[in-house]
Amino acid sequence: MLDMDLRLLLQSLTPSSQSVYVLVFYFVYLAVAGEILPGKVIRGVLLPDGSQLRYRCNGLFALTLLVAILGICAKLGIVSPLVVADRGLELLSATFIFCVLVTLALYVTGRSSSDKSSSLKPHVSGNLVHDWWFGIQLNPQFLGIDLKFFFVRAGMMGWLLINLSILAKSAQDGSLSQSMILYQIFCALYILDYFVHEEYMTSTWDIIAERLGFMLVFGDLLWIPFTFSIQGWWLLNNKVELTVPAIVANCFVFLIGYMVFRGANKQKHIFKKNPKTPIWGKPPVVVGGKLLASGYWGIARHCNYLGDLMLALSFSLPCGISSPVPYFYPIYLLILLIWRERRDEVRCAEKYKEIWAEYLRLVPYRILPYVY
C-alpha cells in the first residue's frame, strides 16, 4: 500500500507536456504583455552609479486581460478552468525545475560578466552556495526585461490563477463554503491591490537591495503562488462553518492589516520621491535628511511587516483552528520577516552610522510597538 502511494505521488510530481505548455504559455504571455500593453513608466531608485531603471507598471492590465482570455477559452472549451487545480503537483515540480535552470543561467552569466554598472556588476564572494543562493547581479535582464520585477509579477499573478482554479474546482465539487469565499475575497483584494500600486514595488528591499539568486527566483515563482495558496487547497478537502462574529473579526483583521501595510508602503514610496510631502497633515520628521520617522514609520521601524503579518493571518483565519496546516503561511512569514528585519538593521547601521543611532532613539520598536 505504501509503495502504491509512493508511486502515485511520484507520478503526480512528474511534469507532463501539458504542465510544461502551461508554464511556457504563462511566461511568454507575461513577457509580451509586459512590453506591449500600455502602463505607467516608473523610474526606479537612484543607484550608486547614478543610473535609474525604468519599470512599465501595467500588471493590472496584463492580469485582467489574462483572466479574460482564460475565461473565454474556458467558456469555449479550449482550456479547463481546473487545469491548475488538477495538475498542482505537476506544475509545482515543473516550476521548481525552471527555477533551478534560471538560477544556473544567472550564476553562469553573472560570473562571466565584466559589466561595471550598479545593476549588472558581479558580486562574487567565492562561496558557491552563497553566490547561488543570494545571486551575483542586482538587476539582471533578459531581452530587455528586468527579471527581478518580472518574476515578482509572475508569482503574484500565479497565486491568483491558482486560487481561481481552486475556486472553480470547489464549485464543481459542490464544496463551496463561506470559508472558501472569504479566503478567495481576501486574497483577490490583496493581489489586485498589489497591481493597482505596483509602482510601490520598485522601492522595496527586494528590488533595491537583494541580488537575484535562487532565494528570490524560488521565492517569487514557486513559494509565493504554491505556498500562499495552501489555505485554498486545504479548504477543498475540509469544510469549515464560520459564525457571524468569526466572519466579522476576520474582516477586521484583514482591514486593519491592509490599512497598516498599504499605508506604510505608500508613505515610504512617496517620501523617496519627494521628502517634503506632508504625512498625516504634518511636515515629515526626517533623521539626518535620509530616514523617515513620521506616520507609520514613527511607530515602528518595520511597521509594514506588521500589516503584512496581519494580512497573512486573515487569509488563514477562514480555515478555523482545527489544524495548523492553513497557518503555514503566517508562521513562515513571521520567521522570514524577522530574519529580513535583522539583516536590514545590520545593513542600515553600517550605511547610516550615527544617523541610524539617532533613528533608533526616536523609533525604538522594530515591528510591533511595546512588544518587539
Side-chain angles (χ1 to χ4, degrees), residues 178-255:
Q178 289 180 332
S179 298
M180 177 67 82
I181 294 172
L182 201 60
Y183 163 75
Q184 292 284 347
I185 290 174
F186 288 161
C187 288
L189 288 174
Y190 178 81
I191 296 166
L192 291 174
D193 176 79
Y194 170 88
F195 286 108
V196 169
H197 301 96
E198 191 176 23
E199 65 179 275
Y200 297 166
M201 182 64 194
T202 63
S203 59
T204 59
W205 165 273
D206 283 355
I207 294 293
I208 66 178
E210 297 278 24
R211 294 187 292 276
L212 187 59
F214 186 76
M215 181 181 71
L216 283 188
V217 174
F218 176 84
D220 291 341
L221 295 182
L222 190 145
W223 195 259
I224 288 177
F226 289 97
T227 63
F228 289 15
S229 57
I230 282 178
Q231 300 93 325
W233 294 107
W234 190 85
L235 285 170
L236 270 178
N237 301 298
N238 298 271
K239 193 171 181 65
V240 178
E241 295 295 339
L242 298 175
T243 63
V244 173
I247 293 174
V248 172
N250 200 167
C251 291
F252 181 77
V253 172
F254 174 81
L255 291 174

Side-chain angles (χ1 to χ4, degrees), residues 11 23 40 70 76 84 97 121 132 203 216 261 322 360 364:
Q11 289 175 1
L23 283 183
K40 187 177 181 181
L70 293 176
L76 297 175
V84 176
I97 294 171
K121 180 181 178 180
W132 173 275
S203 59
L216 283 188
F261 173 75
S322 63
L360 295 185

